[in-house]
Amino acid sequence: MDLPCAKLFYLLLFFMLSTLPADAAATPEGRSGLINIPTAYVLKPFHGGTGYFNFPGGDSFSGNIAVLPRVELGYSRWRSESSRDYNLYSGKVVLLEELVLRPAIAIGVDDIGGKLDRSYYLTVSKQGPWGIRLHLGARSGASNGLFYAMEKQIRLTDDWRKKLPFIPIFNLALEYDGQHFNYGAYVRNKHGFRLDLGWRDERFYYGVQLEF
């Protein structure tokens, strides 16, 4: 193998080894994503997740499940101190799965029943080296327009995993949802139990999730 080919081979190998499995946890809206935006990832077939999120003045119970490969359904029940409760449904389909040199692409719909604001979206996600993921998309509805995000995932080394067995994965996220900049963090253990906290729609929030 000559030098240029060897460099290309090791570069591709580096990208493959540094690409981490994609998480697809539930957001407060039920669909998988980051803080307030959808990503192009879904759960593995026949896997699901459920979560509880608390905001000033209200909270949300949500969940999602992959009923078929590349197809995911989501649900959320919003409760507010000043208005009635809402049951919202969503769906997402992955058009292209991610490869080393190709991003994942998905389309979806939020609030299928039109209780608050039905919207459609197209989103693209790509994992890169050093645990960094980038997301870009566009959607219709009241918050129509472009959205984008960057997240950084940190996996603890073996020594730190022995000291902190509950926190093998730590994630930081920054996003623009078309109206606001949101940021947050979560810790997740190997059993799918996850704790979230951050700043969403100019409000502090926290959440607890479980993937199964």
Side-chain angles (χ1 to χ4, degrees):
M1 183 181 296
D2 57 31
L3 187 57
C5 291
K7 288 184 177 180
L8 178 60
F9 171 77
Y10 288 119
L11 179 63
L12 292 175
L13 180 63
F14 169 74
F15 271 87
M16 286 187 287
L17 293 177
S18 60
T19 297
L20 301 173
D23 295 325
T27 61
E29 289 81 7
R31 53 162 155 72
S32 57
L34 292 186
I35 304 166
N36 202 24
I37 71 165
T39 66
Y41 303 127
V42 297
L43 292 166
K44 296 178 181 179
F46 311 114
H47 283 67
T50 183
Y52 167 78
F53 300 87
N54 184 274
F55 309 89
D59 54 17
S60 166
F61 292 90
S62 67
N64 56 1
I65 186 169
V67 294
L68 294 169
R70 300 189 183 188
V71 179
E72 184 181 273
L73 299 178
Y75 164 80
S76 64
R77 180 175 179 83
W78 288 80
R79 303 190 305 178
S80 172
E81 297 175 357
S82 59
S83 63
R84 63 190 181 94
D85 299 350
Y86 291 95
N87 295 302
L88 307 179
Y89 302 89
S90 63
K92 184 195 296 189
V93 177
V94 175
L95 301 179
L96 286 177
E97 293 184 323
E98 183 176 19
L99 298 177
V100 175
L101 299 178
R102 185 183 75 188
I105 301 176
I107 57 174
V109 54
D110 289 336
D111 188 12
I112 294 174
K115 295 291 185 179
L116 292 176
D117 176 35
R118 182 189 296 117
S119 64
Y120 303 89
Y121 62 83
L122 169 71
T123 180
V124 179
S125 299
K126 186 70 183 79
Q127 301 185 75
W130 309 297
I132 294 176
R133 299 186 185 123
L134 300 176
H135 311 277
L136 175 66
R139 61 182 165 192
S140 64
S143 56
N144 68 88
L146 294 175
F147 57 83
Y148 51 86
M150 180 178 70
E151 58 177 323
K152 164 67 176 177
Q153 187 176 90
I154 302 170
R155 289 180 180 268
L156 301 184
T157 62
D158 291 339
D159 291 338
W160 279 104
R161 288 185 183 184
K162 293 178 182 178
K163 298 177 183 178
L164 300 171
F166 177 73
I167 312 175
I169 298 176
F170 181 74
N171 186 287
L172 299 172
L174 172 65
E175 68 173 33
Y176 177 70
D177 63 12
Q179 294 182 320
H180 305 101
F181 280 100
N182 308 309
Y183 52 90
Y186 71 76
V187 292
R188 180 181 179 275
N189 72 359
K190 63 181 180 180
H191 301 296
F193 183 71
R194 172 172 151 170
L195 298 174
D196 296 69
L197 59 88
W199 189 257
R200 178 184 184 273
D201 294 341
E202 302 181 343
R203 296 179 297 174
F204 173 79
Y205 79 95
Y206 68 86
V208 181
Q209 301 191 53
L210 178 64
E211 298 174 22
F212 52 86

